[in-house]
Amino acid sequence: MSTTSTTGTTTAVARAPEARAASGAGARAYLAHAAAKLGGAAVSLIAVLVTSFFLFRIIPGDPVKAMTHGVPTSAEQMATLRRQFGLDQPLWQQFTDYCAKALTGDLGMSYQFRAPVGDLILQKVPATLLLTGVAVLLYSAIGLWLGTRSAWRHGSLGDRVNTGVALTLWSVPSFWLGLLLIITFSVGIGPIPGMFPTGGMESGDETGFAHVLDVAHHMVLPVITLVAVGYAQTLLVMRSSLLDEMGSDYLTTARAKGLRDDAVRRRHAVPNALLPTVTMVFINLGHVAAGSILVETVFSWPGLGGLFYQALSVPDLPLVQGLFVVFAGAMIVMNLLADLLYPLLDPRVGR
C-alpha cells in the first residue's frame, strides 16, 4: 500500500509541470487568438468610418436644397447654410474633420433636426432595443428548438413541414409581411376584425400598468413580423449544422454506452453543432442595435430604423453617417464577442 501510494504521488508530481505547461500554452494561444480578433475589429471600425463618409456622398441630392424646399431662400442664405454645415470645404478637409470628431464620440450635428446626432440616436435606442431585443430572443429560442428537433428527426413529416415553412418565410420580404399583417389584423379583412394598432409605439393617453399593456399591444404585429422572418434562418442553420454531426463516431460511442437518445442529443450532438448557430445568434444581437429599418418604417415604430429612413430621405449626411457607424459598430462588436467565445466552446478553435 505504501509503495503504491508513493508511486502514485510521484507520478502526480511529475505530471503537474506538464499540466501547467499545457494550461499555459492554452492561455497563450487564446491570448494570441483574442489579440488577432481585436486587431481585425479595430481595422473593421476604421474601414466603417471611411466607408460611412464616402458612401453617402454619392447619394444624389443637395442637403441644403432639401432643407430649404418650399421656403424662399436667397443665394446668400444658401451659401451661409453650406458654410455653417461645412459643405463648402474641400472633400478631404470634410473627411479629416469627420474622422477626428468621430474618434472622440462627436458624430456631428443633424441638418434637419438641428441637434447633435449622438443625442438623437440615444433618444431612439430604447424603442429599438425593446422591439428588436424581444424579437431576437424569441426567434433565436424558437429557431434553435425547432432546428434541433427537425434535424434529429430528419425526413419525418414534422421535419418536412418545419423546413418548408422556414424556407417560405425566409424568402418573404419583411416589409411585405408587415403590410399583410396590418391589412389583416389592423384594418380587418372579411370576418377578421381589426384588433391591433396600425403603427406607433403607444396611444399616448395611458399611464402605469395600462401604459405597459398599451406598448405591448402595439408591439404584437411588428414582433410577429420580425420573428416570422428571423426564426427561419436560425432553424435552417441549426438543422444543417446538427445534421453534419449526426453521423459522427462519438455519437455512436455515446449510444453504445447506453445513453438515451435525448441525452445523446443534449450532451453531445447539440453542443458540437452550436458554433455556426452561435455566430448567427450574435449577428442577430448586433441587429438589435440596428433594428429593422423596413419593419420600423412600415409600423411607424419610433426607433433607430425609422430615424435612418428619415435621415436618408433628406439626405441628412451627419445623421446617416452616425447611424451607419452605430449599426456597423454593433455588428463588429458582436462578431468579436462570438470569435472570443468560440475557443471556450471548442478548444480546437484558435489553436
Side-chain angles (χ1 to χ4, degrees), residues 8-167:
T9 303
T10 303
T11 303
V13 171
R15 288 179 178 174
E18 296 177 5
R20 287 195 296 270
S23 176
R28 288 192 296 272
Y30 180 79
L31 289 175
H33 172 77
K37 296 302 179 182
L38 285 169
V43 172
S44 297
L45 285 172
I46 293 172
V48 165
L49 284 177
V50 176
T51 304
S52 67
F53 180 83
F54 290 104
L55 177 64
F56 299 109
R57 289 301 189 283
I58 64 176
I59 298 176
D62 185 340
V64 174
K65 288 183 179 179
M67 284 186 291
T68 57
H69 179 70
V71 179
T73 309
S74 66
E76 291 77 10
Q77 290 173 320
M78 298 279 285
T80 300
L81 285 173
R82 286 194 173 87
R83 186 166 56 254
Q84 179 183 345
F85 293 120
L87 296 174
D88 61 331
Q89 298 175 353
L91 190 61
W92 66 267
Q93 188 172 346
Q94 293 183 43
F95 175 66
T96 55
D97 290 345
Y98 164 72
C99 289
K101 290 179 179 179
L103 292 175
T104 62
D106 182 0
L107 297 176
M109 186 73 67
S110 168
Y111 294 164
Q112 59 180 322
F113 296 105
R114 305 295 177 89
V117 169
D119 293 346
L120 292 172
I121 292 174
L122 288 176
Q123 290 172 10
K124 301 294 185 179
V125 163
T128 289
L129 291 182
L130 177 64
L131 177 65
T132 55
V134 170
V136 166
L137 290 176
L138 286 175
Y139 71 63
S140 295
I142 294 170
L144 286 172
W145 182 65
L146 289 178
T148 300
R149 295 183 67 84
S150 290
W152 206 248
R153 295 175 175 82
H154 64 96
S156 66
L157 176 61
D159 175 40
R160 292 197 296 271
V161 170
N162 280 332
T163 305
V165 171
L167 286 170

Side-chain angles (χ1 to χ4, degrees), residues 131 173-183 186 197-200 221-222 225 292-302 305-306 309:
L131 177 65
S174 58
F175 72 91
W176 183 76
L177 180 59
L179 289 173
L180 285 182
L181 291 177
I182 289 175
I183 293 171
S186 294
T198 56
L221 293 186
T225 303
S292 177
I293 297 172
L294 295 177
V295 171
E296 288 191 7
T297 302
V298 167
F299 288 96
S300 302
W301 190 263
Y309 177 80

